[in-house]
Amino acid sequence: MIYPLLPVFLSTVLGANASFIGAIEGVAESTAALLKLAGGWWSDKVKKRKPLIVAGYFIATVARPFTAMAQTATQVLLIRLTDRIGKGIRTAPRDALLADSVEPEARGRAFGFHAAMDNAGAVLGPLIAFALIRYYDISLRNVFWLAAIPGALAFIVLVVAVKEIQASAPAPSKDKADLSSPDQLGRRFWAYLVVVLLFTLGNSTDAFLLLRANQLGVAIALAPILWVVLNLVKTLLGTWAGGLSDRVGRKPLIVAGWLLYAAVYFLFARASAPWHAWALFGTYGIFYALTEGTEKALVADLVPETRRGSAYGWFNLAVGLGALPASLIFGAIWDRMGAPVAFTFGAALALTAAIGMTIVAPSRPRAAVAR
């Protein structure tokens, strides 16, 4: 309910420019990334996932609705920062718990299903926001307050229904190295992370796509519906794409997704009509469906079971650390040289990363699980 309206709220109500919007998203995601590493490492150390997951969702659930009270873009930055602190604490333990909960042959499908359900919420939320604004004339600020309701319901379900799954105990060893140390995770994992970081440097916040759509003539009131189109495609195809990666391998889907991302950004640079934005948002959803679950499933393929929390922490750290310069650079290029140049820059980095992925990712249909 909040996210698709946030860039418009920042730019039209609070007067923030593209660079500051990029800074908000970049700083928030980078802060979350640092905590993702700590949360994942700690869940491996104590062999407990759920307490950190509960704490993280609680912080985010409480913080997000306060966007309704913000009077300056700096206040939105602080709220987003608190929200991302919660995300940082919960993400790696949650991903590790999911990997612990399924058999290896269903891992891609499980992560694809998780992404699809996340995206289903991102379909319903904007639809509710659109209805509240369009038919009930509710202000943006009141929509932000109402977003607290589904957040509270989700938190209750988490506390009551989610069960802790214990990873198998590691084999006895005299090695006392830190669970998150590089030599515990393997060279191929680190090579994968380098390529992911390269892609992330060209993958700025999706808030810029919403701003670009507005530039192309898509009305502010339709921004939630545009977001619905994107997330509906992700929802419908996510589980299928994850399952496909179980059969044909992770590499083909990730490479295809990144190439599609490059094409979409290249075309966003040259778009000139509102219908272009609608078509490109739908196509962009296919990129997410191909890669969201598959990238995370590949992490579990590459590392031992008892190192998953740390591995997901490092994975999310790489993505988050790339998010800050990615959004800052994209916003700066937009302000100084225009949106077409910024989108072309993102397309070029995605293409380079796709080439790198063909080199570093395993070619086997399904990587053996390290025990």
Side-chain angles (χ1 to χ4, degrees):
M1 292 172 65
I2 293 177
Y3 187 80
L5 298 173
L6 193 58
V8 175
F9 177 71
L10 283 163
S11 62
T12 61
V13 178
L14 301 183
N17 60 21
S19 293
F20 196 84
I21 293 172
I24 288 175
E25 292 301 309
V27 169
E29 292 300 332
S30 293
T31 300
L34 293 172
L35 289 170
K36 287 171 187 176
L37 176 58
W41 172 83
W42 186 254
S43 74
D44 281 345
K45 183 177 178 63
V46 303
K47 298 181 176 60
K48 291 288 185 181
R49 316 288 193 197
K50 185 172 176 178
L52 288 170
I53 300 171
V54 170
Y57 275 104
F58 176 77
I59 292 170
T61 299
V62 171
R64 286 177 184 172
F66 282 94
T67 307
M69 297 178 63
Q71 299 299 317
T72 67
T74 302
Q75 291 174 350
V76 174
L77 170 61
L78 294 175
I79 294 166
R80 283 286 290 163
L81 199 58
T82 305
D83 172 31
R84 298 296 91 174
I85 287 171
K87 184 177 179 65
I89 292 171
R90 73 179 185 252
T91 298
R94 182 204 64 202
D95 291 341
L97 180 61
L98 181 57
D100 294 342
S101 302
V102 297
E103 295 301 318
E105 59 270 18
R107 185 174 293 147
R109 185 174 177 82
F111 277 101
F113 179 71
H114 169 260
M117 292 301 95
D118 190 35
N119 296 323
V123 170
L124 294 176
L127 283 175
I128 293 170
F130 173 76
L132 292 173
I133 294 170
R134 188 68 174 266
Y135 300 111
Y136 296 94
D137 199 27
I138 292 178
S139 69
L140 291 178
R141 294 184 185 276
N142 285 331
V143 171
F144 296 159
W145 279 125
L146 290 171
I149 297 172
L153 294 174
F155 180 75
I156 292 170
V157 172
L158 169 65
V159 172
V160 173
V162 173
K163 305 301 181 184
E164 180 81 42
I165 303 295
Q166 294 291 341
S168 58
S173 172
K174 295 180 180 179
D175 182 10
K176 301 297 183 181
D178 190 299
L179 291 177
S180 61
S181 64
D183 61 344
Q184 297 288 313
L185 299 174
R187 293 180 180 177
R188 191 177 288 276
F189 170 77
W190 293 105
Y192 172 52
L193 233 58
V194 169
V195 178
V196 167
L197 178 60
L198 177 62
F199 175 78
T200 303
L201 289 173
N203 184 16
S204 59
T205 170
D206 289 344
F208 288 125
L209 278 80
L210 292 168
L211 288 178
R212 179 62 171 158
N214 187 243
Q215 268 191 349
L216 296 173
V218 177
I220 291 175
L222 292 176
I225 302 302
L226 194 62
W227 199 246
V228 165
V229 171
L230 169 62
N231 286 284
L232 183 61
V233 174
K234 292 159 66 176
T235 300
L236 294 175
L237 298 181
T239 305
W240 168 81
L244 183 62
S245 79
D246 289 328
R247 299 191 296 274
V248 305
R250 318 295 184 203
K251 181 196 290 188
L253 271 74
I254 295 174
V255 171
W258 288 4
L259 289 174
L260 185 59
Y261 177 99
V264 167
Y265 263 52
F266 181 81
L267 292 173
F268 256 118
R270 285 148 185 80
S272 58
W275 74 266
H276 293 164
W278 291 97
L280 288 172
F281 260 81
T283 307
Y284 191 56
I286 301 174
F287 146 73
Y288 271 113
L290 293 174
T291 59
E292 267 190 316
T294 307
E295 289 175 5
K296 289 188 174 183
L298 182 55
V299 173
D301 291 345
L302 295 176
V303 302
E305 183 178 356
T306 52
R307 305 296 187 264
R308 284 175 183 159
S310 299
Y312 281 113
W314 281 110
F315 173 81
N316 288 297
L317 176 64
V319 172
L321 288 183
L324 177 56
S327 295
L328 290 176
I329 292 169
F330 195 98
I333 294 174
W334 181 312
D335 285 338
R336 289 165 176 76
M337 291 179 277
V341 178
F343 279 99
T344 301
F345 168 78
L349 279 185
L351 178 60
T352 304
I355 295 171
M357 182 58 66
T358 64
I359 299 171
V360 306
S363 298
R364 290 171 293 175
R366 183 170 63 247
V369 179
R371 293 286 181 181

